[in-house]
Amino acid sequence: MSGSTEQRLDDLIAACTRIEEYIADPALPEAVVLDAVRMRLVDIASSARQLPPTMTAAEPTIPWSQVSALGERLTGRHGETPASLLLRTARTDVPVLRDAAIRMRARCPGPGR
Protein backbone atom coordinates (compact mmCIF):
# COMPACT_ATOMS: atom_id res chain seq x y z
CA MET A 1 0.00 0.00 0.00
CA SER A 2 1.28 3.44 -0.86
CA GLY A 3 2.19 5.85 1.86
CA SER A 4 0.02 8.69 0.62
CA THR A 5 -3.24 9.57 2.31
CA GLU A 6 -4.92 9.69 -1.07
CA GLN A 7 -3.79 6.15 -1.87
CA ARG A 8 -4.96 4.88 1.53
CA LEU A 9 -8.38 6.35 0.88
CA ASP A 10 -8.44 4.88 -2.63
CA ASP A 11 -7.54 1.48 -1.14
CA LEU A 12 -10.25 1.81 1.50
CA ILE A 13 -12.87 2.76 -1.09
CA ALA A 14 -11.82 -0.12 -3.37
CA ALA A 15 -12.05 -2.64 -0.51
CA CYS A 16 -15.51 -1.40 0.43
CA THR A 17 -16.64 -1.59 -3.18
CA ARG A 18 -15.34 -5.14 -3.51
CA ILE A 19 -17.20 -6.20 -0.36
CA GLU A 20 -20.40 -4.78 -1.80
CA GLU A 21 -19.79 -6.72 -5.02
CA TYR A 22 -19.17 -9.96 -3.12
CA ILE A 23 -22.35 -9.80 -1.09
CA ALA A 24 -24.41 -8.83 -4.14
CA ASP A 25 -23.26 -11.81 -6.22
CA PRO A 26 -25.65 -14.72 -5.67
CA ALA A 27 -23.39 -17.04 -7.67
CA LEU A 28 -20.64 -16.93 -5.06
CA PRO A 29 -20.76 -19.61 -2.35
CA GLU A 30 -21.31 -18.18 1.14
CA ALA A 31 -17.99 -19.55 2.41
CA VAL A 32 -16.13 -17.73 -0.35
CA VAL A 33 -18.03 -14.51 0.36
CA LEU A 34 -17.26 -14.73 4.08
CA ASP A 35 -13.56 -15.32 3.46
CA ALA A 36 -13.39 -12.48 0.94
CA VAL A 37 -15.29 -10.09 3.21
CA ARG A 38 -13.03 -10.96 6.14
CA MET A 39 -9.87 -10.24 4.14
CA ARG A 40 -11.20 -6.97 2.72
CA LEU A 41 -12.18 -5.87 6.23
CA VAL A 42 -8.58 -6.49 7.28
CA ASP A 43 -7.48 -4.30 4.34
CA ILE A 44 -9.94 -1.61 5.40
CA ALA A 45 -8.61 -1.66 8.96
CA SER A 46 -5.05 -1.32 7.71
CA SER A 47 -5.93 1.66 5.54
CA ALA A 48 -7.99 3.33 8.27
CA ARG A 49 -5.24 2.90 10.86
CA GLN A 50 -2.87 4.93 8.66
CA LEU A 51 -5.17 7.88 8.05
CA PRO A 52 -4.19 11.11 9.80
CA PRO A 53 -6.40 12.04 12.78
CA THR A 54 -7.07 15.44 11.21
CA MET A 55 -8.70 13.66 8.29
CA THR A 56 -10.76 11.16 10.28
CA ALA A 57 -11.97 13.99 12.53
CA ALA A 58 -13.84 15.34 9.50
CA GLU A 59 -16.08 12.24 9.60
CA PRO A 60 -16.96 11.98 13.31
CA THR A 61 -19.87 9.57 12.82
CA ILE A 62 -17.44 6.81 11.82
CA PRO A 63 -15.97 4.93 14.82
CA TRP A 64 -12.42 5.11 13.44
CA SER A 65 -10.79 3.42 16.42
CA GLN A 66 -13.12 0.44 16.00
CA VAL A 67 -12.52 0.34 12.25
CA SER A 68 -8.76 0.42 12.85
CA ALA A 69 -8.95 -2.35 15.45
CA LEU A 70 -11.08 -4.58 13.24
CA GLY A 71 -8.11 -6.14 11.45
CA GLU A 72 -6.58 -7.35 14.69
CA ARG A 73 -9.90 -8.75 15.85
CA LEU A 74 -10.33 -10.66 12.60
CA THR A 75 -6.77 -11.99 12.41
CA GLY A 76 -5.95 -12.35 16.08
CA ARG A 77 -6.75 -15.25 18.33
CA HIS A 78 -10.15 -14.00 19.36
CA GLY A 79 -12.09 -16.98 18.06
CA GLU A 80 -14.08 -17.28 14.88
CA THR A 81 -16.12 -14.23 13.90
CA PRO A 82 -19.74 -15.27 13.37
CA ALA A 83 -20.93 -15.19 9.77
CA SER A 84 -23.92 -13.10 10.80
CA LEU A 85 -21.62 -10.38 12.18
CA LEU A 86 -19.46 -10.32 9.04
CA LEU A 87 -22.50 -10.07 6.78
CA ARG A 88 -24.19 -7.43 8.93
CA THR A 89 -20.98 -5.38 8.88
CA ALA A 90 -20.71 -5.82 5.11
CA ARG A 91 -24.32 -4.81 4.46
CA THR A 92 -24.75 -2.04 7.02
CA ASP A 93 -21.41 -0.51 7.97
CA VAL A 94 -19.32 -0.87 4.81
CA PRO A 95 -21.56 1.33 2.59
CA VAL A 96 -21.51 4.08 5.25
CA LEU A 97 -17.74 3.81 5.55
CA ARG A 98 -17.31 3.88 1.75
CA ASP A 99 -19.41 7.05 1.49
CA ALA A 100 -17.36 8.72 4.23
CA ALA A 101 -14.10 7.73 2.51
CA ILE A 102 -15.40 9.11 -0.79
CA ARG A 103 -16.18 12.44 0.89
CA MET A 104 -12.73 12.47 2.49
CA ARG A 105 -11.08 11.65 -0.84
CA ALA A 106 -12.94 14.49 -2.53
CA ARG A 107 -11.31 16.87 -0.07
CA CYS A 108 -7.83 15.64 -1.03
CA PRO A 109 -5.84 17.29 -3.78
CA GLY A 110 -4.24 15.32 -6.55
CA PRO A 111 -4.98 12.38 -8.86
CA GLY A 112 -8.15 10.36 -8.51
CA ARG A 113 -10.19 13.38 -7.60
Side-chain angles (χ1 to χ4, degrees), residues 24-76:
D25 188 342
L28 292 174
E30 184 176 285
V32 171
V33 170
L34 293 173
D35 286 347
V37 166
R38 178 179 281 106
M39 289 311 303
R40 292 297 179 170
L41 289 173
V42 170
D43 292 344
I44 287 168
S46 177
S47 293
R49 190 171 34 258
Q50 297 176 56
L51 292 172
T54 54
M55 178 154 289
T56 57
E59 292 290 340
T61 60
I62 302 297
W64 292 105
S65 62
Q66 291 177 357
V67 173
S68 296
L70 185 59
E72 175 61 31
R73 290 180 53 213
L74 291 172
T75 60

Coordinates of all heavy atoms in Angstrom, one line a residue, residues 24-76:
A24 N -23.3 -9.0 -3.1 CA -24.4 -8.8 -4.1 C -24.4 -10.0 -5.2 O -25.4 -10.1 -5.9 CB -24.3 -7.5 -4.9
D25 N -23.4 -10.8 -5.2 CA -23.3 -11.8 -6.2 C -23.8 -13.1 -5.7 O -23.2 -13.8 -4.9 CB -21.8 -12.0 -6.6 CG -21.6 -12.9 -7.8 OD1 -22.5 -13.7 -8.1 OD2 -20.5 -12.9 -8.4
P26 N -25.0 -13.5 -6.2 CA -25.7 -14.7 -5.7 C -25.0 -16.0 -6.2 O -25.2 -17.1 -5.6 CB -27.1 -14.6 -6.2 CG -27.0 -13.8 -7.4 CD -25.9 -12.8 -7.1
A27 N -24.1 -15.9 -7.2 CA -23.4 -17.0 -7.7 C -22.2 -17.5 -6.8 O -21.8 -18.6 -6.9 CB -22.9 -16.8 -9.1
L28 N -21.8 -16.6 -5.9 CA -20.6 -16.9 -5.1 C -21.1 -17.7 -3.9 O -22.1 -17.4 -3.2 CB -19.9 -15.7 -4.6 CG -19.2 -14.8 -5.6 CD1 -18.7 -13.5 -5.0 CD2 -18.1 -15.6 -6.2
P29 N -20.4 -18.8 -3.5 CA -20.8 -19.6 -2.3 C -20.5 -18.8 -1.1 O -19.6 -17.9 -1.0 CB -19.8 -20.8 -2.4 CG -19.2 -20.8 -3.8 CD -19.3 -19.4 -4.3
E30 N -21.4 -19.0 -0.1 CA -21.3 -18.2 1.1 C -19.9 -18.3 1.8 O -19.4 -17.3 2.3 CB -22.4 -18.6 2.1 CG -22.4 -17.7 3.4 CD -23.5 -18.0 4.4 OE1 -24.6 -17.7 4.1 OE2 -23.1 -18.6 5.4
A31 N -19.3 -19.4 1.8 CA -18.0 -19.6 2.4 C -17.0 -18.7 1.7 O -16.1 -18.1 2.4 CB -17.5 -21.0 2.4
V32 N -17.0 -18.6 0.4 CA -16.1 -17.7 -0.3 C -16.4 -16.3 0.0 O -15.5 -15.5 0.2 CB -16.3 -18.0 -1.9 CG1 -15.5 -17.0 -2.7 CG2 -15.8 -19.4 -2.2
V33 N -17.7 -15.9 0.0 CA -18.0 -14.5 0.4 C -17.5 -14.1 1.7 O -16.9 -13.1 1.9 CB -19.6 -14.3 0.3 CG1 -20.0 -13.0 0.9 CG2 -20.1 -14.5 -1.1
L34 N -17.7 -15.0 2.7 CA -17.3 -14.7 4.1 C -15.7 -14.6 4.2 O -15.2 -13.7 4.8 CB -17.7 -15.8 5.0 CG -19.2 -15.9 5.2 CD1 -19.6 -17.1 6.1 CD2 -19.8 -14.6 5.9
D35 N -15.0 -15.4 3.5 CA -13.6 -15.3 3.5 C -13.1 -14.0 2.8 O -12.2 -13.3 3.3 CB -12.9 -16.5 2.7 CG -13.0 -17.8 3.6 OD1 -13.3 -17.7 4.8 OD2 -12.7 -18.9 3.0
A36 N -13.8 -13.7 1.7 CA -13.4 -12.5 0.9 C -13.7 -11.2 1.8 O -12.9 -10.3 1.8 CB -14.1 -12.5 -0.4
V37 N -14.9 -11.2 2.4 CA -15.3 -10.1 3.2 C -14.3 -9.9 4.4 O -13.9 -8.8 4.7 CB -16.7 -10.3 3.7 CG1 -17.0 -9.3 4.8 CG2 -17.7 -10.1 2.6
R38 N -14.0 -11.0 5.0 CA -13.0 -11.0 6.1 C -11.7 -10.3 5.7 O -11.2 -9.4 6.4 CB -12.8 -12.4 6.7 CG -11.8 -12.4 7.9 CD -11.6 -13.7 8.4 NE -12.6 -14.1 9.3 CZ -13.6 -14.9 9.1 NH1 -13.7 -15.6 7.9 NH2 -14.6 -15.1 10.0
M39 N -11.2 -10.8 4.6 CA -9.9 -10.2 4.1 C -10.0 -8.8 3.7 O -9.1 -8.0 4.0 CB -9.3 -11.1 3.0 CG -8.8 -12.5 3.4 SD -7.7 -12.4 4.9 CE -6.4 -11.4 4.3
R40 N -11.0 -8.4 3.1 CA -11.2 -7.0 2.7 C -11.4 -6.1 4.0 O -11.0 -5.0 4.0 CB -12.3 -6.8 1.7 CG -12.1 -7.4 0.4 CD -10.9 -6.7 -0.3 NE -10.7 -7.4 -1.6 CZ -9.9 -7.0 -2.5 NH1 -9.2 -5.9 -2.3 NH2 -9.8 -7.6 -3.6
L41 N -12.1 -6.6 5.0 CA -12.2 -5.9 6.2 C -10.8 -5.7 6.9 O -10.6 -4.6 7.5 CB -13.2 -6.6 7.2 CG -14.6 -6.5 6.8 CD1 -15.5 -7.4 7.7 CD2 -15.1 -5.1 6.8
V42 N -10.0 -6.6 6.8 CA -8.6 -6.5 7.3 C -7.9 -5.4 6.5 O -7.2 -4.5 7.1 CB -7.8 -7.8 7.2 CG1 -6.3 -7.6 7.5 CG2 -8.4 -8.8 8.2
D43 N -8.1 -5.4 5.2 CA -7.5 -4.3 4.3 C -8.0 -2.9 4.8 O -7.3 -2.0 4.8 CB -7.8 -4.5 2.9 CG -7.1 -5.7 2.3 OD1 -6.2 -6.3 2.9 OD2 -7.6 -6.2 1.2
I44 N -9.3 -2.9 5.0 CA -9.9 -1.6 5.4 C -9.3 -1.1 6.7 O -9.0 0.1 6.9 CB -11.5 -1.8 5.5 CG1 -12.1 -1.9 4.1 CG2 -12.1 -0.6 6.3 CD1 -13.5 -2.3 4.1
A45 N -9.2 -2.0 7.7 CA -8.6 -1.7 9.0 C -7.2 -1.1 8.8 O -6.8 -0.1 9.4 CB -8.6 -2.9 9.9
S46 N -6.4 -1.8 7.9 CA -5.0 -1.3 7.7 C -5.0 0.1 7.1 O -4.2 0.9 7.5 CB -4.3 -2.3 6.8 OG -3.1 -1.9 6.5
S47 N -5.9 0.3 6.1 CA -5.9 1.7 5.5 C -6.4 2.7 6.5 O -5.8 3.8 6.6 CB -6.9 1.7 4.3 OG -6.4 0.9 3.3
A48 N -7.4 2.4 7.3 CA -8.0 3.3 8.3 C -7.0 3.7 9.4 O -6.9 4.8 9.8 CB -9.3 2.8 8.9
R49 N -6.2 2.7 9.8 CA -5.2 2.9 10.9 C -4.2 3.9 10.4 O -3.6 4.6 11.3 CB -4.6 1.5 11.2 CG -3.8 1.5 12.4 CD -3.3 0.1 12.9 NE -3.1 -0.8 11.8 CZ -3.9 -1.8 11.5 NH1 -5.1 -2.0 12.1 NH2 -3.6 -2.7 10.5
Q50 N -3.9 4.1 9.2 CA -2.9 4.9 8.7 C -3.4 6.3 8.3 O -2.6 7.2 7.9 CB -2.2 4.3 7.5 CG -1.5 3.0 7.9 CD -0.9 2.3 6.7 OE1 -0.1 2.9 5.9 NE2 -1.3 1.0 6.4
L51 N -4.7 6.6 8.4 CA -5.2 7.9 8.0 C -4.8 8.9 9.2 O -4.9 8.6 10.3 CB -6.7 7.8 7.8 CG -7.2 7.0 6.6 CD1 -8.7 6.9 6.7 CD2 -6.7 7.7 5.3
P52 N -4.5 10.1 8.8 CA -4.2 11.1 9.8 C -5.4 11.5 10.6 O -6.5 11.6 10.1 CB -3.7 12.3 9.0 CG -3.8 12.0 7.6 CD -4.3 10.6 7.4
P53 N -5.3 11.7 11.9 CA -6.4 12.0 12.8 C -7.1 13.3 12.3 O -8.3 13.4 12.5 CB -5.8 12.3 14.1 CG -4.5 11.5 14.1 CD -4.0 11.5 12.7
T54 N -6.4 14.2 11.7 CA -7.1 15.4 11.2 C -8.1 15.1 10.1 O -9.1 15.8 10.0 CB -6.0 16.4 10.7 OG1 -5.2 15.8 9.7 CG2 -5.2 17.0 11.8
M55 N -7.8 14.1 9.4 CA -8.7 13.7 8.3 C -9.9 12.9 8.8 O -11.0 13.2 8.5 CB -8.0 12.8 7.3 CG -8.9 12.3 6.2 SD -8.0 12.0 4.6 CE -7.6 13.7 4.1
T56 N -9.6 12.0 9.7 CA -10.8 11.2 10.3 C -11.7 12.0 11.1 O -12.9 11.7 11.2 CB -10.3 10.0 11.1 OG1 -9.4 10.4 12.1 CG2 -9.5 9.0 10.2
A57 N -11.1 13.1 11.7 CA -12.0 14.0 12.5 C -13.1 14.7 11.7 O -14.1 15.0 12.2 CB -11.1 15.0 13.2
A58 N -12.9 14.7 10.4 CA -13.8 15.3 9.5 C -15.1 14.5 9.3 O -16.1 14.9 8.8 CB -13.2 15.7 8.2
E59 N -15.0 13.2 9.7 CA -16.1 12.2 9.6 C -16.3 11.6 11.0 O -16.0 10.5 11.2 CB -15.8 11.2 8.6 CG -15.7 11.6 7.1 CD -17.0 12.0 6.6 OE1 -18.1 11.6 7.1 OE2 -17.0 12.8 5.6
P60 N -16.8 12.4 11.9 CA -17.0 12.0 13.3 C -18.0 10.9 13.6 O -18.0 10.2 14.6 CB -17.3 13.3 14.1 CG -18.0 14.1 13.0 CD -17.3 13.8 11.7
T61 N -18.9 10.6 12.6 CA -19.9 9.6 12.8 C -19.3 8.2 12.6 O -19.9 7.2 13.0 CB -21.1 9.7 11.9 OG1 -20.7 9.7 10.5 CG2 -21.8 11.1 12.2
I62 N -18.1 8.1 12.0 CA -17.4 6.8 11.8 C -16.6 6.5 13.1 O -15.8 7.3 13.5 CB -16.5 6.9 10.6 CG1 -17.3 7.2 9.3 CG2 -15.8 5.5 10.4 CD1 -18.4 6.3 8.9
P63 N -16.8 5.3 13.6 CA -16.0 4.9 14.8 C -14.6 4.5 14.4 O -14.3 3.3 14.3 CB -16.8 3.8 15.5 CG -17.5 3.2 14.3 CD -17.8 4.3 13.3
W64 N -13.7 5.4 14.1 CA -12.4 5.1 13.4 C -11.6 4.2 14.3 O -10.9 3.3 13.7 CB -11.7 6.4 13.1 CG -12.3 7.1 12.0 CD1 -13.1 8.3 12.1 CD2 -12.4 6.8 10.6 NE1 -13.6 8.7 10.9 CE2 -13.2 7.7 9.9 CE3 -11.9 5.7 9.9 CZ2 -13.4 7.7 8.6 CZ3 -12.1 5.7 8.5 CH2 -12.9 6.7 7.9
S65 N -11.6 4.3 15.6 CA -10.8 3.4 16.4 C -11.3 2.0 16.3 O -10.5 1.1 16.3 CB -10.8 3.9 17.9 OG -12.1 3.9 18.4
Q66 N -12.6 1.8 16.2 CA -13.1 0.4 16.0 C -12.8 -0.1 14.6 O -12.5 -1.3 14.5 CB -14.6 0.4 16.2 CG -15.0 0.7 17.7 CD -16.5 0.7 17.8 OE1 -17.3 0.6 16.8 NE2 -17.0 0.9 19.0
V67 N -12.9 0.8 13.6 CA -12.5 0.3 12.3 C -11.0 -0.1 12.2 O -10.7 -1.1 11.7 CB -12.8 1.5 11.2 CG1 -12.3 1.1 9.8 CG2 -14.3 1.8 11.2
S68 N -10.2 0.7 12.8 CA -8.8 0.4 12.8 C -8.5 -0.9 13.6 O -7.5 -1.6 13.2 CB -8.0 1.6 13.5 OG -8.1 2.7 12.7
A69 N -9.2 -1.2 14.6 CA -9.0 -2.4 15.5 C -9.5 -3.6 14.8 O -9.2 -4.7 15.2 CB -9.5 -2.2 16.8
L70 N -10.4 -3.4 13.8 CA -11.1 -4.6 13.2 C -10.1 -5.6 12.7 O -10.4 -6.8 12.8 CB -12.0 -4.1 12.1 CG -12.9 -5.1 11.5 CD1 -13.8 -5.7 12.5 CD2 -13.8 -4.4 10.4
G71 N -9.1 -5.2 12.0 CA -8.1 -6.1 11.4 C -7.5 -7.1 12.5 O -7.4 -8.3 12.3
E72 N -7.1 -6.5 13.6 CA -6.6 -7.3 14.7 C -7.6 -8.3 15.2 O -7.3 -9.5 15.5 CB -6.1 -6.4 15.8 CG -5.6 -7.2 17.0 CD -4.4 -8.2 16.7 OE1 -3.6 -7.9 15.8 OE2 -4.3 -9.2 17.4
R73 N -8.8 -7.9 15.4 CA -9.9 -8.7 15.8 C -10.2 -9.9 14.9 O -10.4 -11.0 15.3 CB -11.2 -8.0 16.1 CG -11.1 -7.0 17.3 CD -12.3 -6.2 17.5 NE -13.5 -7.1 17.7 CZ -14.7 -6.7 17.3 NH1 -14.9 -5.5 16.7 NH2 -15.7 -7.5 17.4
L74 N -10.1 -9.6 13.6 CA -10.3 -10.7 12.6 C -9.2 -11.6 12.4 O -9.3 -12.7 12.0 CB -10.7 -10.0 11.3 CG -12.1 -9.3 11.3 CD1 -12.3 -8.5 10.0 CD2 -13.2 -10.3 11.5
T75 N -7.9 -11.1 12.6 CA -6.8 -12.0 12.4 C -6.1 -12.5 13.7 O -5.3 -13.4 13.6 CB -5.7 -11.2 11.6 OG1 -5.3 -10.1 12.4 CG2 -6.2 -10.8 10.3
G76 N -6.5 -11.9 14.8 CA -6.0 -12.4 16.1 C -6.6 -13.6 16.6 O -7.4 -14.2 15.9

